[in-house]
Amino acid sequence: MRVVLVLEYDGSNFCGWQSQSNACSIQNKLELALSRIADEKIRVIAAGRTDAGVHALYQVVHFDTTARRPLTAWTRGVNTYLPKGIAVLWANEISTQFHARFSAQTRRYQYLLLNHAIRPGILYHKVGWFHQPLDFERMRTAAQILLGEHDFSAFRAAECQAKSPVRTLTQLDIAHRGNMLIFELSANAFLHHMVRNIIGCLVYVGKGRYPPDWLRVLLENGDRSAAAPTFSASGLYLADIKYSPDWNLPRMAGRLNIVDEYRFF
């Protein structure tokens, strides 16, 4: 039997999604909890791996098991064995043709950036931070250059294992509420550190170090060393993953707009 789960997590206290030998990852914690409920060893496959410190509002995983349990066992039951920063929101049985990673059509990330002279306190680990004033319109102009299908070599980590650097970025919107900048990025898939590297480059444009057209130069040259440093993981959220409606996954299992949690900005 194949089971699909939707979960959310605060990545602050974990070493990322992927299983580690010291059992510090979200995958480690989830597999341990699932194995206790199933009374057998469970291995999960996720729609996407998140780095240390990155959060998720809508992560999708699947696993196979011989255990027969009520669906509530895979939600409330599993949650009793999970750390407080991780919660399964929804579970269902699904065809073995479904694959959390390969059946996904698009992924959406949000990045929250506090642009204020004073660093955050209560939102530490929940938002990125930049202390100098940023030119919002320059950043929006630069963002439009990245839309479409491109070779994103200049925006991938050196350790990225993707076979191809070509991705199709369908959304890169920037809005602001007071001192908070809100980035929305959607693509068919993302390279390792791609979102954080894009944010870093947009910040360089916003503070006036480079003109907006610099991003076009980076795309054409594909030189990671010429781009901005990788930005902080703290403000990054895996916000949504879209699948064919045929799979009947819930569309509102998580809080799909984390900005709504921070209305006081």
Side-chain angles (χ1 to χ4, degrees):
M1 181 178 69
R2 181 159 293 183
V3 177
V4 58
L5 305 176
V6 174
L7 60 150
E8 66 178 14
Y9 48 81
D10 178 338
S12 304
N13 297 318
F14 304 99
C15 58
W17 165 263
Q18 191 172 4
S19 180
Q20 303 288 328
S21 58
N22 59 0
C24 63
S25 76
I26 295 156
Q27 183 178 3
N28 289 134
K29 306 301 183 185
L30 179 61
E31 288 179 345
L32 179 61
L34 288 168
S35 298
R36 295 183 70 172
I37 293 296
D39 199 25
E40 63 183 17
K41 195 170 186 177
I42 298 293
R43 288 289 177 262
V44 302
I45 295 176
R49 300 170 182 174
T50 53
D51 294 329
V54 176
H55 317 295
L57 306 175
Y58 192 96
Q59 174 70 281
V60 178
V61 306
H62 80 259
F63 64 92
D64 296 328
T65 179
T66 61
R68 292 286 176 179
R69 302 287 186 270
L71 293 178
T72 53
W74 303 125
T75 52
R76 292 199 294 268
V78 170
N79 284 341
T80 62
Y81 296 114
L82 285 173
K84 288 184 171 60
I86 310 171
V88 177
L89 305 175
W90 177 89
N92 206 358
E93 296 181 21
I94 201 163
S95 164
T96 55
Q97 299 301 308
F98 174 84
H99 194 283
R101 179 183 174 190
F102 297 129
S103 297
Q105 296 174 332
T106 62
R107 283 97 170 156
R108 181 168 65 90
Y109 281 89
Q110 290 184 338
Y111 195 96
L112 303 186
L113 174 60
L114 180 64
N115 186 206
H116 193 272
I118 306 300
R119 67 169 176 83
I122 196 168
L123 292 181
Y124 182 63
H125 286 320
K126 296 297 190 299
V127 299
W129 171 60
F130 191 74
H131 63 289
Q132 297 177 13
L134 294 172
D135 189 317
F136 176 71
E137 292 304 326
R138 282 170 57 92
M139 296 172 75
R140 292 186 69 179
T141 299
Q144 298 307 300
I145 295 170
L146 298 180
L147 292 175
E149 184 180 84
H150 301 287
D151 180 330
F152 282 95
S153 292
F155 301 91
R156 72 188 297 190
E159 62 271 25
C160 181
Q161 299 176 359
K163 294 180 180 179
S164 171
V166 177
R167 295 291 186 269
T168 302
L169 190 66
T170 55
Q171 179 189 23
L172 208 178
D173 296 331
I174 312 174
H176 67 88
R177 295 187 184 180
N179 295 320
M180 189 75 76
L181 296 183
I182 306 126
F183 300 81
E184 297 265 1
L185 302 92
S186 298
N188 56 341
F190 287 88
L191 301 167
H192 191 195
H193 286 175
M194 179 173 159
V195 175
R196 292 165 60 192
N197 290 335
I198 287 174
I199 300 300
C201 289
L202 291 174
V203 167
Y204 266 28
V205 170
K207 72 176 184 176
R209 181 162 180 171
Y210 294 105
D213 205 55
W214 175 59
L215 270 70
R216 196 184 315 278
V217 175
L218 292 176
L219 285 176
E220 293 172 353
N221 293 345
D223 184 0
R224 174 71 194 105
S225 65
T230 303
F231 214 72
S232 166
S234 297
L236 185 56
Y237 296 79
L238 175 58
D240 193 17
I241 303 166
K242 291 185 180 178
Y243 295 88
S244 167
D246 296 338
W247 295 119
N248 293 318
L249 267 67
R251 294 302 314 129
M252 295 299 290
R255 294 187 294 270
L256 295 186
N257 194 337
I258 192 64
V259 179
D260 290 340
E261 299 298 301
Y262 304 134
R263 293 189 183 92
F264 50 84
F265 279 94

